[in-house]
Amino acid sequence: MFTTRPVLSGTYGMVATTHWLATAAGMAVLEAGGTAADAAAAAGFALHVVEPHLNGPGGDLPLIVGRAGHAEAEVLCAQGPVPAAASVTTLRDDLGLEIVPGTGPLAATVPGAFGGWIELLRTHGRLPLRTILSYAIGYAADGHPVHPRVAATIAAAGPMFRQHWPTSAERWLPAPAAGERFRQPALATTYERILAEAEAAGPHRDAQLEAAHQAWYRGFVAEAIDAFAPREWMDDSGRPHAGLLTGADLAGWRPTWEPAVTLDWRGLTVAKPAAWSQGPVLLQQLALLGDGELPPYGSAELIHRAAEGAKLAFADREAFYGDVPDVPLADLLSPAYTAARRELIEGEASWELRPGSPGGRTPVLPPYRTASEDLAGAGIGEPTMGEPTVQREGDRGDTCHVDVVDRWGTMVSATPSGGWLQSAPTIPELGFSLGTRAQMTWLQDGLPSTLRPATRPRTTLSPTLVLRDGEPVMACGTPGGDQQDQWQLCFLLAHWVGGTAGGLDLQAAIDAPAWHITSFPSSFAPRLAVPGEIVVEDRVGPEVIEELRRRGHAVTVSGGWSLGRLSAVTRDPATGVLTAAANPRGMQGYAAGR
């Protein structure tokens, strides 16, 4: 199997992210004696600066931590809730909206990313906050060569900024040229002020971290958001709306630790965030494939089985996942339910959205739209990094990913996102935008993902940790919205199952051709579904494409290096050897280590 790069190996530490500058920051922190948590946070803060079209301080963060000698994976949820004033009545009945806009302050949630990184440092880090933030501050204050995709995103958003969002125009325009040294002085000042207030709390690290949290969620950052959010701004509904987020929403929030949802599969334990994310759909897809012999990776038979299983898993996501207490995960992952659902996978492609009835429950689906309908007013969503043949969701944002393993056997997998520079107007004194994660809620009553005050939107962000015999052995993930857990399935199948000679190495598995389906409602405005569609990289080959079409799939052929931005790190508990690999697609992700 062709590979683009070697698998890195060593014993000291490994970092893999979606941008080489973030990887460099994380590796520098490991070299300074930091833990995987320290390195992940440094990389995460750096990503706010170098990938501002993909994430920002106003966004969200789920992550998973695994530690050598600890059999349980820990999930940190830093997905902020919708405002207390947000409700179906307010948006649907009072404002006359059918869906939550994909842009603008009305879709804003509590910005959880900053608090999540601070909590990770408090719990699992050891270095001072100044060390962690120094790389992001340096990239923002002194500048860095702007990536072509960032420059292109700013240029594309320029007309919107000039006409409707003057604070964004002032911050980002004129659009920089690709490779230009680009500075973000307001964001650098925000982080410097955070540090000043943290260090004023005294010499103790925990006190400084708590002061940083307070400065953000009860101090000057919250005050600036409280003053800015209620202003009316144009959004993709075609009308201006004011935001509902307040300082009180920020003051009452903290990230939370919770146990992971797990599935034992082929001698491994796969750990995911719970159903406030889409994470369990990866577990359902693996369960549907089962423990028996599988066809070779990239074959039409394997792609067909995986695609049909994904349709069933994502149908269950739509019917049952959300920030509600009664998600039937035990039933959804049970052998009996899985076996019954597997019987629905036949030789021909299904074009239906078919949720099951776990535990006898009656599924309820939202009133989603399909590709044949009028899609005027499409908003900003979370896309692939590739070359979509149909522009379905406007000028969309995406996501980042970070994987780290240190020499003590601690692993972190994190998927920060939201707060894109093009998602909402820039708050001028802070230098960043609010996120728009509330667009993932529905304005129909009675759904698990119905908009409810002070609850978390069901997010697509979905990091992964893998354990063997109770020891963490892999952290992995990818950007890509609804595709995250489909592309991770491709990677895991390539790495664990592979071709006729067995699984591929870490880099080869990342490089292997990928695919995904779009037959369920998108999590992003305008909530589009494309029944029967499967998107495949052309490297799967014409014979496979033709066979998939013969089986009834509506095949969309994408560029050969267009689907996914995976990264991964591993650790062998027996030898202590560490490995890492990162995605070549987009020529942006890199791994480093020794």
Side-chain angles (χ1 to χ4, degrees):
M1 173 65 72
F2 170 79
T3 62
T4 58
R5 304 167 180 172
V7 177
L8 304 185
S9 61
T11 57
Y12 185 85
M14 294 282 162
V15 182
T17 82
T18 48
H19 196 292
W20 63 85
L21 289 177
T23 296
M27 195 63 210
V29 166
L30 288 182
E31 295 287 5
T35 67
D38 291 317
F45 284 122
L47 287 169
H48 291 167
V49 182
V50 301
E51 291 192 324
H53 62 317
L54 308 181
N55 80 140
D60 330 284
L61 172 67
L63 61 83
I64 306 182
V65 177
R67 293 181 292 159
H70 295 75
E72 302 296 326
E74 303 172 275
V75 171
L76 180 63
C77 175
Q79 170 57 62
V82 301
S87 67
V88 169
T89 298
T90 300
L91 274 70
R92 183 188 65 194
D93 301 338
D94 297 345
L95 299 179
L97 294 168
E98 294 182 359
I99 64 171
V100 181
T103 63
L106 189 58
T109 57
V110 171
F114 183 87
W117 290 124
I118 294 298
E119 175 61 21
L120 178 66
L121 291 170
R122 186 191 68 80
T123 307
H124 295 296
R126 62 168 58 175
L127 297 184
L129 181 59
R130 178 167 292 277
T131 301
I132 304 304
L133 278 174
S134 64
Y135 304 94
I137 291 172
Y139 294 150
D142 301 330
H144 66 282
V146 67
H147 193 276
R149 290 184 184 274
V150 180
T153 299
I154 296 172
M160 176 68 175
F161 291 173
R162 293 186 187 95
Q163 185 173 359
H164 296 296
W165 294 355
T167 60
S168 294
E170 182 179 358
R171 166 74 283 272
W172 300 103
L173 299 179
E180 179 181 333
R181 188 165 178 169
F182 190 66
R183 294 172 172 83
Q184 299 181 49
L187 181 57
T189 298
T190 295
Y191 285 150
E192 287 280 16
R193 185 171 174 184
I194 289 283
L195 276 179
E197 296 198 17
E199 291 172 350
H204 298 294
R205 182 174 174 277
D206 284 353
Q208 290 185 6
L209 292 173
E210 178 59 24
H213 178 96
Q214 294 296 334
W216 192 276
Y217 292 97
R218 292 177 177 265
F220 77 95
V221 174
E223 291 168 1
I225 291 173
D226 186 74
F228 188 83
R231 295 172 58 183
E232 286 196 348
W233 299 92
M234 181 65 69
D235 58 42
D236 61 13
S237 70
R239 292 183 284 141
H241 292 105
L244 301 173
L245 188 66
T246 68
D249 293 313
L250 274 73
W253 180 84
R254 281 186 180 270
T256 55
W257 290 99
E258 56 187 62
V261 179
T262 62
L263 175 77
D264 292 332
W265 194 75
R266 296 177 180 261
L268 300 163
T269 300
V270 184
K272 300 291 291 186
W276 52 264
S277 79
Q278 71 175 12
V281 297
L282 177 61
L283 307 184
Q284 286 194 255
Q285 290 175 91
L286 290 170
L288 285 164
L289 287 170
D291 289 327
E293 184 177 352
L294 290 174
Y297 186 84
S299 65
E301 178 62 24
L302 181 66
I303 295 173
H304 172 75
R305 286 196 209 175
E308 294 305 294
K311 292 173 186 177
L312 298 174
F314 278 90
D316 283 344
R317 184 195 76 166
E318 288 310 305
F320 301 110
Y321 289 21
D323 189 15
V324 291
D326 57 348
V327 178
L329 281 178
D331 292 318
L332 289 167
L333 295 172
S334 70
Y337 179 80
T338 299
R341 297 286 277 167
R342 193 181 295 126
E343 291 296 317
L344 298 176
I345 298 176
E346 299 178 341
E348 297 293 317
S350 170
W351 283 47
E352 300 177 51
L353 194 64
R354 300 179 291 174
S357 300
R361 293 167 177 80
T362 300
V364 180
L365 292 173
Y368 60 93
R369 305 168 72 183
T370 63
S372 61
E373 298 178 55
D374 177 18
L375 300 178
I380 291 178
E382 193 167 353
T384 75
M385 279 292 293
E387 307 157 358
T389 56
V390 180
Q391 185 66 14
R392 297 179 181 129
E393 294 175 349
D395 179 21
R396 304 173 292 181
D398 200 351
T399 296
C400 307
H401 190 74
V402 177
D403 295 307
V404 185
V405 59
D406 63 30
R407 62 190 184 276
W408 301 288
T410 296
M411 285 185 170
V412 177
S413 177
T415 311
S417 184
W420 312 308
L421 68 89
Q422 70 275 27
S423 65
T426 300
I427 303 171
E429 60 266 52
L430 299 179
F432 63 81
S433 304
L434 294 172
T436 54
R437 194 63 59 180
Q439 68 179 288
M440 296 178 149
T441 62
W442 293 94
L443 298 183
Q444 286 74 36
D445 296 313
L447 300 170
S449 52
T450 294
L451 176 66
R452 297 178 179 86
T455 59
R456 297 168 291 188
R458 187 199 69 212
T459 179
T460 55
L461 308 177
S462 190
T464 298
L465 192 81
V466 180
L467 303 96
R468 179 183 286 114
D469 299 326
E471 288 287 321
V473 295
M474 177 190 287
C476 66
T478 179
D482 294 310
Q483 285 74 52
Q484 289 180 31
D485 285 302
Q486 299 190 68
W487 294 336
Q488 289 184 70
L489 177 69
C490 295
F491 162 70
L492 296 175
L493 288 175
H495 186 51
W496 290 335
V497 179
T500 55
L504 306 178
D505 71 38
L506 207 62
Q507 188 64 54
I510 288 174
D511 291 348
W515 63 85
H516 67 264
I517 62 163
T518 59
S519 60
F520 52 88
S522 167
S523 295
F524 298 88
R527 315 307 297 270
L528 172 69
V530 189
E533 184 184 53
I534 183 169
V535 182
V536 299
E537 290 184 329
D538 60 19
R539 289 184 295 133
V540 302
E543 296 84 2
V544 169
I545 292 169
E546 180 58 32
E547 175 61 16
L548 291 171
R549 287 180 171 146
R550 189 192 68 78
R551 293 181 180 222
H553 295 277
V555 181
T556 295
V557 181
S558 187
W561 297 90
S562 59
L563 304 183
R565 292 175 65 208
L566 278 144
S567 63
V569 298
T570 72
R571 177 178 182 268
D572 184 339
T575 65
V577 171
L578 316 176
T579 69
N583 179 56
R585 297 166 176 89
M587 297 184 292
Q588 191 169 334
Y590 269 88
R594 70 173 179 89

